[in-house]
Amino acid sequence: MERHFDQQLGALRKNLIQMASLVETAIANAIKSLIERNSELASLVVKSDEQVDTLELELEKQCVDLLALRQPMAIDLRFITAAIKITNNLERMGDLAVNIAERVIPLNQEPQLKPLIDIPRMATITQTMVKDSIDAFVNKDTALARAVAERDSTVDSLNDQIFRELLTYMMQDPANITRAVHLILISRHLERIADHSTNIAEEVIYIVKAKVVKHRSTSLEEIS
Amino acid sequence: MERHFDQQLGALRKNLIQMASLVETAIANAIKSLIERNSELASLVVKSDEQVDTLELELEKQCVDLLALRQPMAIDLRFITAAIKITNNLERMGDLAVNIAERVIPLNQEPQLKPLIDIPRMATITQTMVKDSIDAFVNKDTALARAVAERDSTVDSLNDQIFRELLTYMMQDPANITRAVHLILISRHLERIADHSTNIAEEVIYIVKAKVVKHRSTSLEEIS
């Protein structure tokens, strides 16, 4: 019985890692489709979301089944309730990757507005946050989780900076407006992905330390 | 024991309703501060978020305690796991109300860009969705929950329409750009609030019917 429970927990962990890996790929491809102006890749990202959604439903079922059938205590209970929330965050991150890809497609139909510098920089930091938050979860590494949460303010500042720069592009020439708005929203989507990584990192700290670190700072949800 | 458990479930339900009522007020005041150009009210919305965050933490603790100490089965288990997710959605809705209020403050420092027609319309529908999703939860009313989910596409269309209209304002005069971008983002925040109401409605259907209706349609997450 005990061993069977461990196997089920292992299966849950494996599915979570698989879902995280799908979401990481979706984010990486969404960014790549923007930088390389590859609309085919962007369409692929949109299509791949179905897999993420399927895994989400499976994971939710696994969590509820484990809670119902096993009645776990303490650390296992915390792991499972955190898994429900991590799954939700991953699903939203997958959606945000789709949102980015959906803006890349119309952007690619027009000439490039400007060479992209800050958005790729922001994307690199965000992707590291996504990866590290999942690694922190897999390895129960609270130091890594804390490092993720700390990087969130850098992403917020970059988003702010990108927003202001694109505003000036719009003011200079109305022909820039549509493309600039797409880029502003892509930057916002990235900032939201970083927020979700921070949520995951905070869940990891919660699992390990049973100590809620959310709402330490209102800056996490401040914007653009 | 049984009776005590029912009391604890009742307390959880009561806190959820209180949190929902705070979030409903925050959304209503954020919209009011926009329409009536009342920056003081907008600042009040920003400040009130602390209460929502405090309630979120309390609710999460209640849910985990109930799971750990009571080991509930079937319908009660579903109710508690759904409560974890509803709490998360409410917290995000509260943040989005703050995001709206934060944009109202700079908007009010400039003359009004245009008479607002579609945003208040969208806000009215969204607020009804928020209220109905909570009522559906309190009364386990799946018909009402379904009606909420169905209205989501109307909000998506309005968001789309507002986006296009504001783009033309930006094209006409660069002096409109900053205000138009704020309004585009306010419209997007409203659309996200409607999405979260839809999530809550789907959780209600899940609690009652134990049948997951999420991902029925990709249109729920399509954008602006």
PDB file of all heavy atoms in Angstrom, chain B residues 60-76:
ATOM      1  N   GLU B  60      -6.707  29.337   1.988  1.00  0.00           N
ATOM      2  CA  GLU B  60      -5.828  28.222   1.622  1.00  0.00           C
ATOM      3  C   GLU B  60      -5.513  27.364   2.835  1.00  0.00           C
ATOM      4  O   GLU B  60      -5.490  26.141   2.762  1.00  0.00           O
ATOM      5  CB  GLU B  60      -4.526  28.759   1.010  1.00  0.00           C
ATOM      6  CG  GLU B  60      -4.705  29.140  -0.441  1.00  0.00           C
ATOM      7  CD  GLU B  60      -3.394  29.482  -1.130  1.00  0.00           C
ATOM      8  OE1 GLU B  60      -2.315  29.153  -0.570  1.00  0.00           O
ATOM      9  OE2 GLU B  60      -3.456  30.068  -2.208  1.00  0.00           O
ATOM     10  N   LYS B  61      -5.288  28.020   3.951  1.00  0.00           N
ATOM     11  CA  LYS B  61      -4.989  27.288   5.183  1.00  0.00           C
ATOM     12  C   LYS B  61      -6.200  26.444   5.589  1.00  0.00           C
ATOM     13  O   LYS B  61      -6.063  25.263   5.931  1.00  0.00           O
ATOM     14  CB  LYS B  61      -4.610  28.283   6.288  1.00  0.00           C
ATOM     15  CG  LYS B  61      -3.815  27.604   7.391  1.00  0.00           C
ATOM     16  CD  LYS B  61      -3.487  28.493   8.545  1.00  0.00           C
ATOM     17  CE  LYS B  61      -3.049  27.656   9.743  1.00  0.00           C
ATOM     18  NZ  LYS B  61      -4.019  26.623  10.146  1.00  0.00           N
ATOM     19  N   GLN B  62      -7.384  27.057   5.521  1.00  0.00           N
ATOM     20  CA  GLN B  62      -8.602  26.318   5.867  1.00  0.00           C
ATOM     21  C   GLN B  62      -8.768  25.068   5.002  1.00  0.00           C
ATOM     22  O   GLN B  62      -9.126  24.001   5.500  1.00  0.00           O
ATOM     23  CB  GLN B  62      -9.837  27.205   5.668  1.00  0.00           C
ATOM     24  CG  GLN B  62     -10.140  28.140   6.823  1.00  0.00           C
ATOM     25  CD  GLN B  62     -11.432  28.916   6.556  1.00  0.00           C
ATOM     26  OE1 GLN B  62     -11.517  29.631   5.563  1.00  0.00           O
ATOM     27  NE2 GLN B  62     -12.413  28.768   7.423  1.00  0.00           N
ATOM     28  N   CYS B  63      -8.504  25.227   3.693  1.00  0.00           N
ATOM     29  CA  CYS B  63      -8.658  24.093   2.765  1.00  0.00           C
ATOM     30  C   CYS B  63      -7.683  22.981   3.112  1.00  0.00           C
ATOM     31  O   CYS B  63      -8.061  21.809   3.211  1.00  0.00           O
ATOM     32  CB  CYS B  63      -8.409  24.544   1.325  1.00  0.00           C
ATOM     33  SG  CYS B  63      -9.711  25.592   0.671  1.00  0.00           S
ATOM     34  N   VAL B  64      -6.423  23.348   3.303  1.00  0.00           N
ATOM     35  CA  VAL B  64      -5.404  22.335   3.596  1.00  0.00           C
ATOM     36  C   VAL B  64      -5.707  21.661   4.938  1.00  0.00           C
ATOM     37  O   VAL B  64      -5.605  20.435   5.060  1.00  0.00           O
ATOM     38  CB  VAL B  64      -3.986  22.957   3.565  1.00  0.00           C
ATOM     39  CG1 VAL B  64      -2.957  21.958   4.050  1.00  0.00           C
ATOM     40  CG2 VAL B  64      -3.652  23.420   2.149  1.00  0.00           C
ATOM     41  N   ASP B  65      -6.121  22.453   5.931  1.00  0.00           N
ATOM     42  CA  ASP B  65      -6.460  21.880   7.235  1.00  0.00           C
ATOM     43  C   ASP B  65      -7.620  20.894   7.118  1.00  0.00           C
ATOM     44  O   ASP B  65      -7.579  19.808   7.707  1.00  0.00           O
ATOM     45  CB  ASP B  65      -6.840  22.991   8.230  1.00  0.00           C
ATOM     46  CG  ASP B  65      -5.606  23.753   8.704  1.00  0.00           C
ATOM     47  OD1 ASP B  65      -4.482  23.324   8.377  1.00  0.00           O
ATOM     48  OD2 ASP B  65      -5.765  24.790   9.378  1.00  0.00           O
ATOM     49  N   LEU B  66      -8.629  21.289   6.352  1.00  0.00           N
ATOM     50  CA  LEU B  66      -9.782  20.394   6.175  1.00  0.00           C
ATOM     51  C   LEU B  66      -9.358  19.087   5.518  1.00  0.00           C
ATOM     52  O   LEU B  66      -9.785  18.012   5.913  1.00  0.00           O
ATOM     53  CB  LEU B  66     -10.864  21.083   5.334  1.00  0.00           C
ATOM     54  CG  LEU B  66     -11.920  21.864   6.103  1.00  0.00           C
ATOM     55  CD1 LEU B  66     -12.766  22.701   5.158  1.00  0.00           C
ATOM     56  CD2 LEU B  66     -12.832  20.902   6.870  1.00  0.00           C
ATOM     57  N   LEU B  67      -8.485  19.224   4.495  1.00  0.00           N
ATOM     58  CA  LEU B  67      -8.012  18.019   3.801  1.00  0.00           C
ATOM     59  C   LEU B  67      -7.198  17.140   4.750  1.00  0.00           C
ATOM     60  O   LEU B  67      -7.320  15.915   4.747  1.00  0.00           O
ATOM     61  CB  LEU B  67      -7.156  18.401   2.594  1.00  0.00           C
ATOM     62  CG  LEU B  67      -7.888  18.983   1.375  1.00  0.00           C
ATOM     63  CD1 LEU B  67      -6.888  19.477   0.348  1.00  0.00           C
ATOM     64  CD2 LEU B  67      -8.815  17.956   0.748  1.00  0.00           C
ATOM     65  N   ALA B  68      -6.373  17.790   5.568  1.00  0.00           N
ATOM     66  CA  ALA B  68      -5.450  17.034   6.413  1.00  0.00           C
ATOM     67  C   ALA B  68      -6.160  16.396   7.601  1.00  0.00           C
ATOM     68  O   ALA B  68      -5.938  15.232   7.925  1.00  0.00           O
ATOM     69  CB  ALA B  68      -4.345  17.948   6.914  1.00  0.00           C
ATOM     70  N   LEU B  69      -7.015  17.176   8.238  1.00  0.00           N
ATOM     71  CA  LEU B  69      -7.575  16.714   9.505  1.00  0.00           C
ATOM     72  C   LEU B  69      -8.831  15.889   9.313  1.00  0.00           C
ATOM     73  O   LEU B  69      -9.151  15.032  10.116  1.00  0.00           O
ATOM     74  CB  LEU B  69      -7.871  17.918  10.407  1.00  0.00           C
ATOM     75  CG  LEU B  69      -6.639  18.780  10.716  1.00  0.00           C
ATOM     76  CD1 LEU B  69      -7.044  20.010  11.515  1.00  0.00           C
ATOM     77  CD2 LEU B  69      -5.588  17.963  11.476  1.00  0.00           C
ATOM     78  N   ARG B  70      -9.543  16.165   8.223  1.00  0.00           N
ATOM     79  CA  ARG B  70     -10.861  15.558   8.097  1.00  0.00           C
ATOM     80  C   ARG B  70     -10.919  14.428   7.093  1.00  0.00           C
ATOM     81  O   ARG B  70     -11.816  13.620   7.109  1.00  0.00           O
ATOM     82  CB  ARG B  70     -11.880  16.640   7.675  1.00  0.00           C
ATOM     83  CG  ARG B  70     -12.017  17.741   8.681  1.00  0.00           C
ATOM     84  CD  ARG B  70     -12.795  17.251   9.871  1.00  0.00           C
ATOM     85  NE  ARG B  70     -12.486  18.037  11.044  1.00  0.00           N
ATOM     86  CZ  ARG B  70     -12.872  17.699  12.252  1.00  0.00           C
ATOM     87  NH1 ARG B  70     -13.558  16.590  12.434  1.00  0.00           N
ATOM     88  NH2 ARG B  70     -12.555  18.435  13.289  1.00  0.00           N
ATOM     89  N   GLN B  71      -9.941  14.444   6.176  1.00  0.00           N
ATOM     90  CA  GLN B  71      -9.929  13.429   5.125  1.00  0.00           C
ATOM     91  C   GLN B  71     -11.301  13.214   4.501  1.00  0.00           C
ATOM     92  O   GLN B  71     -11.883  12.124   4.580  1.00  0.00           O
ATOM     93  CB  GLN B  71      -9.372  12.136   5.690  1.00  0.00           C
ATOM     94  CG  GLN B  71      -8.039  12.413   6.397  1.00  0.00           C
ATOM     95  CD  GLN B  71      -7.294  11.180   6.776  1.00  0.00           C
ATOM     96  OE1 GLN B  71      -7.880  10.161   7.093  1.00  0.00           O
ATOM     97  NE2 GLN B  71      -5.985  11.254   6.699  1.00  0.00           N
ATOM     98  N   PRO B  72     -11.815  14.271   3.892  1.00  0.00           N
ATOM     99  CA  PRO B  72     -13.171  14.195   3.345  1.00  0.00           C
ATOM    100  C   PRO B  72     -13.240  13.326   2.082  1.00  0.00           C
ATOM    101  O   PRO B  72     -12.235  13.091   1.430  1.00  0.00           O
ATOM    102  CB  PRO B  72     -13.476  15.645   2.996  1.00  0.00           C
ATOM    103  CG  PRO B  72     -12.139  16.233   2.694  1.00  0.00           C
ATOM    104  CD  PRO B  72     -11.163  15.541   3.587  1.00  0.00           C
ATOM    105  N   MET B  73     -14.401  12.886   1.775  1.00  0.00           N
ATOM    106  CA  MET B  73     -14.599  12.033   0.610  1.00  0.00           C
ATOM    107  C   MET B  73     -15.556  12.704  -0.387  1.00  0.00           C
ATOM    108  O   MET B  73     -16.293  13.609  -0.048  1.00  0.00           O
ATOM    109  CB  MET B  73     -15.199  10.687   1.032  1.00  0.00           C
ATOM    110  CG  MET B  73     -14.360   9.915   2.022  1.00  0.00           C
ATOM    111  SD  MET B  73     -12.725   9.461   1.362  1.00  0.00           S
ATOM    112  CE  MET B  73     -13.163   7.978   0.445  1.00  0.00           C
ATOM    113  N   ALA B  74     -15.512  12.177  -1.605  1.00  0.00           N
ATOM    114  CA  ALA B  74     -16.487  12.514  -2.653  1.00  0.00           C
ATOM    115  C   ALA B  74     -16.829  13.996  -2.759  1.00  0.00           C
ATOM    116  O   ALA B  74     -15.954  14.813  -2.957  1.00  0.00           O
ATOM    117  CB  ALA B  74     -17.737  11.670  -2.492  1.00  0.00           C
ATOM    118  N   ILE B  75     -18.083  14.331  -2.591  1.00  0.00           N
ATOM    119  CA  ILE B  75     -18.550  15.688  -2.881  1.00  0.00           C
ATOM    120  C   ILE B  75     -17.816  16.744  -2.047  1.00  0.00           C
ATOM    121  O   ILE B  75     -17.482  17.815  -2.536  1.00  0.00           O
ATOM    122  CB  ILE B  75     -20.098  15.800  -2.729  1.00  0.00           C
ATOM    123  CG1 ILE B  75     -20.620  17.215  -3.058  1.00  0.00           C
ATOM    124  CG2 ILE B  75     -20.558  15.424  -1.324  1.00  0.00           C
ATOM    125  CD1 ILE B  75     -21.040  17.393  -4.485  1.00  0.00           C
ATOM    126  N   ASP B  76     -17.520  16.419  -0.767  1.00  0.00           N
ATOM    127  CA  ASP B  76     -16.816  17.388   0.079  1.00  0.00           C
ATOM    128  C   ASP B  76     -15.387  17.603  -0.407  1.00  0.00           C
ATOM    129  O   ASP B  76     -14.875  18.715  -0.412  1.00  0.00           O
ATOM    130  CB  ASP B  76     -16.786  16.908   1.528  1.00  0.00           C
ATOM    131  CG  ASP B  76     -18.177  16.925   2.137  1.00  0.00           C
ATOM    132  OD1 ASP B  76     -19.007  17.732   1.680  1.00  0.00           O
ATOM    133  OD2 ASP B  76     -18.421  16.129   3.067  1.00  0.00           O
TER     134      ASP B  76
END
